[in-house]
Amino acid sequence: MWDQLISALLFPGLLVIILSRISYNRFVGLALTIILIAVSARLGFTNTWYLIILDAISMTAGFILATHMLTRLRQSGREW
């Protein structure tokens, strides 16, 4: 149970950041993460509402961090 809570708090946010960094678009990273979370919920890996809420909180935090990361990246001129 605790491993699910910790995973729900960490992994979706990290996934948003990593996918945003790969695609250079925070909306693409968020959309891909939402798709992956929806598939895992459909397959039964996310089976309670509090895990879904923790996933949403983590994705929101990851989206905010990805926004700051991509803004700094564009300002420094190292986009490509």
Side-chain angles (χ1 to χ4, degrees):
M1 171 152 160
W2 288 104
D3 57 341
Q4 289 179 340
L5 293 174
I6 293 171
S7 296
L9 281 174
L10 292 178
F11 292 137
L14 289 175
L15 196 58
V16 170
I17 293 170
I18 291 170
L19 292 174
S20 296
R21 180 67 173 108
I22 291 171
S23 66
Y24 291 106
N25 191 339
R26 64 184 186 258
F27 296 109
V28 172
L30 183 64
L32 290 173
T33 304
I34 289 171
I35 290 169
L36 288 172
I37 296 297
V39 168
S40 73
R42 175 78 172 126
L43 292 176
F45 295 112
T46 305
N47 51 6
T48 58
W49 282 104
Y50 63 87
L51 286 177
I52 295 171
I53 291 169
L54 289 177
D55 284 339
I57 291 169
S58 178
M59 284 188 283
T60 303
F63 184 78
I64 292 168
L65 290 173
T67 301
H68 290 297
M69 176 192 68
L70 291 176
T71 302
R72 284 187 313 192
L73 188 66
R74 288 188 182 111
Q75 287 176 350
S76 69
R78 296 182 309 179
E79 187 171 344
W80 298 99

